[in-house]
Amino acid sequence: MQWGLVPFWAEDPSIGNRMINARSETVAEKPSFKAAFRQRRCLIVNDGFFEWTGPKGNRQPMFIKPEGETGPFAFAGLWEFWKPKEEQHATPLTSCTILTMDAAESIREIHNRMSVMLKPEA
């Protein structure tokens, strides 16, 4: 899947460049995400993520993963199919976005948001 959700109704797939994340607090109401939220949820498997810290021009990547996790885990995500209106027989573009939430206290000094991480038992 391409990262950056392209809603089925979009005129152009470049809209996905601005939709790499979706705020979990408003995803059910936002036109760009509500259809996918109702019908196309997914798990995005990974082993951690990066946040960049420091002053602009000298940012440093910081690798973050849940404490105690040694294997893969999942982010909550949404996915969507998109086809250009004039080419309905074209292969659809499949895209996705990651749900975000307010950052956990342990991450707040780095960033105010974080991906919704699901526990393996969930």
Side-chain angles (χ1 to χ4, degrees):
M1 288 188 189
Q2 175 179 303
W3 185 25
L5 191 120
V6 179
F8 69 90
W9 47 260
E11 294 292 324
D12 184 296
S14 66
I15 193 171
N17 297 336
R18 298 185 310 273
M19 296 197 201
I20 60 171
N21 296 324
R23 295 178 74 92
S24 59
E25 301 89 346
T26 59
V27 72
E29 300 128 25
K30 295 289 182 180
S32 299
F33 303 116
K34 68 182 180 180
F37 179 69
R38 277 189 250 131
Q39 300 172 355
R40 289 175 290 284
R41 299 176 189 187
C42 65
L43 301 176
I44 299 174
V45 180
N46 62 86
D47 61 359
F49 62 97
F50 286 93
E51 282 295 348
W52 279 257
T53 64
K56 287 192 184 239
N58 193 25
R59 293 194 178 273
Q60 299 296 311
M62 179 178 281
F63 186 72
I64 300 170
K65 66 179 188 169
E67 189 173 337
E69 289 294 325
T70 58
F73 62 95
F75 291 148
L78 306 174
W79 66 275
E80 188 67 83
F81 281 128
W82 178 85
K83 287 184 186 181
K85 288 182 179 21
E86 64 278 355
E87 298 176 42
Q88 285 303 308
H89 298 293
T91 301
L93 169 67
T94 307
S95 62
C96 64
T97 190
I98 296 172
L99 296 180
T100 64
M101 58 187 262
D102 287 334
E105 194 168 325
S106 60
I107 296 176
R108 274 189 207 128
E109 65 183 54
I110 301 166
H111 201 278
N112 65 336
R113 303 284 299 169
M114 64 182 266
S115 300
V116 174
M117 292 183 264
L118 304 173
K119 296 180 179 187
E121 62 272 13

